[in-house]
Every structure is written in structure tokens, then in C-alpha cells.
Amino acid sequence: MAKHTVTLIPGDGIGPELTTAMTRVVEATGVDIEWETVEAGADVMDKYGTPLPEHVPESIRKNKVAIKGPITTPIGTGFRSVNVALRKELDLYACLRPAFSIPGSGARYDDIDLVIVRENTEDLYAGIEFSEGSEGARKLIEFAAAEGAGTIRPDSGISLKPISITGTRRIVKYAFDYAIANGRTKVTAVHKANILKHSDGLFLKVAREVAGEYADSGIEFEDYIVDATCMQLVLHPEWWDVLVLPNLYGDIVSDLAAGLIGGLGVAPGANVGAECAVFEPVHGSAPKYAGKDVANPTAEILSAVLMLKHLDEPDAADRVLRAVRTVIGKGEKVTYDIKRSNTGSTEGSVGTQAYADALIAEL
Ligand code: NAD
């Protein structure tokens, strides 16, 4: 029996070619993994009547660890994002997005090493919305007026922003535990508490309480307003260490951080809960590149590096990371996006699998 069994969701768009490159590189380290491949997304709708058949979360619950390629969310078809549904169903409350510089990736900076910890279950992404003109919107508008909370224009659509003590406690605790386990020195809570007193204000209050409980950990704590965070991330990206944010700010700031380190092609991620962890790149399915063997698999492969660490395979993780640094550092056998960032042209770039071959040769 293999030492590890991991659920593999190839996804769609560029997903299958990226996960193929990723499994080839991981297997070349010699680590003993058996992949349990399950399909999700629009392509399985006809067969199962749902983009997320029950055997997908069942497989992840059983194996506790999964890695996936991106999955397209078709606009206007009425089906919810499989990615969001999976995070909800498995209560993957922490979204971890490390952003570290890889010299040669064409990034603006080469001294970034920060980690975004995004709350994954509540805030404006809770999905509690009332469309313009609906009965629900009308009642809410009346309720707000009756409570003296404020006037909402009658032709408004409304999205709720719930932030709880429970959700905040566990994400801030996760950020501190992550900082301790990974030799980090500072946690910064990011918010807009000066304006959103009852949602972000609560987030900040609870974050300060949790920080108090970790006072002896040696981890420094500070808080920062989200808009100022964005500016300072661009001006001084080297300042930051672990950032913990409510869902929406976490989503936006992690794309900003991806931009600082060279773009979506190199930004890995993980969604972690108390029971299971699902590793995936930050980027989506980039349909226009699907099947062309051109997309950059680095984000998928760096997601596998996070997974290998999680599986307690630090040597394999280090070898893959070193190979990525070496191949990108040399700048020869790299995909179009990295070539273009470095030279202004895609000429001389290699395809997805040829890049994976170059990594394997460096392991
Ligand atoms: P996207 O990340 O798929 O693509 C945006 C652009 O980024 C691409 O056109 C391409 O230029 C570049 N890019 C992204 N990944 C790349 C890679 N690996 N190599 C080289 N270039 C890359 O974002 P989008 O176009 O907004 O979304 C497409 C679909 O993906 C949507 O249906 C969206 O819902 C879905 N999506 C899925 C996930 C997920 O599965 N977790 C995440 C984000 C978006």
C-alpha cells in the first residue's frame, strides 16, 4: 500500500495538463503517493446531474488530503462555483496563500516572503444576497428603516457581510499557529474597522483577544487598515510576514501579492479545515489556453510543495522547490508568461510538459 493516498481533481480548462505536469514532478521525487482521481465541474454535469458529485467530498474526507486543478464556473448557468461549494462542504475555513519571490520569474521584487491567511467561510462571500426588487430586499430595507439603522434606496440589491466571533477566533488562531510552526515572527490583522464597526470591528476586537492569548509565543501582532495595507504592500513588500484577513480582503490582497511575485502562474494555495486540506493554485482555468500545452504549471507544482510539507515529506518538498528556483533562475526552459516578463517576448519559451521535464532533470 502506498504511504499516502491523495485525492486528485484534475479540473477543467488548463487543469488536466497542469495536474499531469504536477504528478509527474511529484512522482519523480520518489515519494510514495497513490492518486485517487475524481472528476468535478461542468464536464460531469451530464453524467451525475451535478458539478460536484458526492463521491468527490467523500474521497477527500477519506484521504484527508486533495490537490486540484482549477474548475471553470460558467457565468449565468445557475450553477454555483464548485470551488466555493467544496470549501463550504468540507468546512475548509483557512485559505493559505504564500507569496515568495522566485528570482527570474520576472517579478518586480525579489525579496518577498509573506503568507496570506484568508478566512474562507463568511464575510461578503457567505452568499446571502437579496436581488433588487425582491421581497427579501424590500423587507430588509423596511427593517433597516424601522430599526433606525439607515435608509437604503428602494432599487438596491443587498449582500450581507456576516463576521462572527467563532469564525474570527479560529482563523486568527490558525494564523498564529501557522506562524509558530513555520518560524514566522509577525501576524498582521487586516481590516476596515474604522468604517465597518460591527463586522470588521468585531474581527479586530477578536483578533486582539486571540493575540493576547499568544502573548508568550514571541510572535509580534499588529493591525492594519486594508487600503493602507495595499499601498504598503506595493511600496514595502518586504515588511510583511503573516497577514490574516476576512474573506473578501483576503481574496483581493492575495491577487495583489501574486502580482508582486510574478503573476498568477506562480502563486500556490491551500484550503485547510480541521479534518481535510485541499491544495490548488490561486489562478483559474484560463480556458483560452486549454489543451495547448502552454500554461505555466508552477502554481500547481508549488501547491504540491505545500501538500508535500503537509504530508510530512519535507525533503521531497524542498527538492521540488529547489528545482523550480533553478529552472526559473536559469530562464531558459520556462513557459511563455515568464519568458515574456523577462524578455518582453514569448520567443524561446517551452510548453507545460517540457518545463516539467526540465524540473525533473533538476531534482
Ligand atoms: P484565470 O486565472 O483562469 O485567467 C486569467 C489570466 O491569467 C489568463 O487568461 C492567463 O493570461 C493568466 N493565467 C492564469 N493561469 C495561468 C497559468 N497557469 N499560466 C499562464 N497564464 C495563466 O482567471 P479567469 O479568466 O478570471 O477565470 C477563468 C475561470 O476559472 C472562471 O470560470 C473562474 O470562475 C475559474 N476560477 C477557478 C478557480 C479555482 O478553480 N479555484 C479560481 C479562479 C477562477
Side-chain angles (χ1 to χ4, degrees):
M1 211 176 85
K3 190 170 169 200
H4 311 285
T5 307
V6 170
T7 300
L8 174 66
I9 308 170
D12 53 34
I14 55 174
E17 46 202 296
L18 300 189
T19 51
T20 297
M22 179 278 294
T23 54
R24 289 178 55 225
V25 172
V26 170
E27 284 167 12
T29 66
V31 73
D32 191 9
I33 292 187
E34 185 186 319
W35 308 103
E36 189 170 293
T37 305
V38 290
E39 305 284 347
D43 296 348
V44 304
M45 276 291 279
D46 284 350
K47 195 164 167 198
Y48 298 103
T50 164
L52 186 60
E54 189 44 38
H55 64 262
V56 175
E58 259 169 30
S59 167
I60 302 173
R61 276 196 198 96
K62 173 168 65 76
N63 297 326
K64 313 249 181 279
V65 179
I67 185 158
K68 65 182 280 294
I71 296 175
T72 307
T73 305
I75 296 167
T77 58
F79 95 61
R80 270 172 64 212
S81 157
V82 170
N83 309 298
V84 174
L86 205 54
R87 287 169 208 163
K88 245 191 173 138
E89 174 140 3
L90 298 171
D91 197 21
L92 303 172
Y93 66 87
C95 177
L96 192 63
R97 290 181 169 175
F100 49 89
S101 306
I102 301 178
S105 62
R108 285 173 201 278
Y109 304 91
D110 58 11
D111 53 356
I112 299 173
D113 184 12
L114 59 88
V115 180
I116 308 253
V117 177
R118 164 188 169 193
E119 203 288 324
N120 233 357
T121 65
E122 49 186 22
D123 190 6
L124 278 164
Y125 285 25
I128 308 169
E129 301 197 281
F130 300 89
S131 59
E132 183 273 317
S134 67
E135 181 64 6
R138 188 187 60 73
K139 282 184 182 161
L140 252 168
I141 291 166
E142 278 176 16
F143 179 74
E147 288 290 305
T151 307
I152 303 174
R153 291 198 182 98
D155 56 351
S156 297
I158 302 171
S159 304
L160 296 189
K161 178 181 161 81
I163 289 199
S164 69
I165 294 173
T166 310
T168 306
R169 270 196 79 76
R170 69 178 180 173
I171 197 67
V172 179
K173 277 178 78 67
Y174 181 90
F176 272 94
D177 290 340
Y178 178 91
I180 293 166
N182 290 277
R184 299 273 170 174
T185 58
K186 184 173 69 177
V187 171
T188 307
V190 179
H191 58 84
K192 189 79 185 174
N194 51 333
I195 306 293
L196 301 165
K197 296 193 189 313
H198 301 299
S199 47
D200 286 21
L202 184 62
F203 182 86
L204 177 58
K205 175 173 170 284
V206 174
R208 284 181 173 149
E209 283 168 13
V210 173
E213 294 163 23
Y214 282 83
D216 297 334
S217 66
I219 306 287
E220 191 190 330
F221 174 77
E222 64 179 13
D223 73 89
Y224 237 85
I225 304 277
V226 63
D227 36 4
T229 302
C230 291
M231 184 187 68
Q232 296 297 358
L233 267 170
V234 174
L235 287 176
H236 303 288
E238 74 287 354
W239 274 8
W240 305 85
D241 197 344
V242 177
L243 291 83
V244 60
L245 311 89
N247 209 336
L248 175 66
Y249 309 146
D251 194 10
I252 297 168
V253 173
S254 54
D255 264 34
L256 192 159
L260 296 174
I261 58 158
L264 286 171
V266 294
N271 296 291
V272 185
E275 305 291 331
C276 318
V278 177
F279 297 84
E280 64 175 343
V282 172
H283 64 71
S285 56
K288 69 178 174 190
Y289 295 127
K292 296 190 173 149
D293 188 45
V294 295
N296 185 353
T298 304
E300 186 78 50
I301 290 166
L302 292 177
S303 302
V305 168
L306 300 179
M307 179 192 76
L308 288 167
K309 283 191 188 154
H310 181 86
L311 291 171
D312 203 20
E313 296 282 1
D315 293 344
D318 284 351
R319 285 173 62 204
V320 175
L321 181 56
R322 262 203 312 271
V324 168
R325 287 190 183 282
T326 304
V327 172
I328 292 182
K330 286 182 182 168
E332 289 157 10
K333 293 177 181 165
V334 293
T335 47
Y336 81 93
D337 50 330
I338 293 188
K339 196 61 137 186
R340 191 173 52 199
S341 299
N342 281 314
T343 67
S345 150
T346 60
E347 212 179 306
S349 61
V350 301
T352 310
Q353 302 307 327
Y355 169 73
D357 292 339
L359 296 184
I360 292 167
E362 291 291 344
L363 281 173

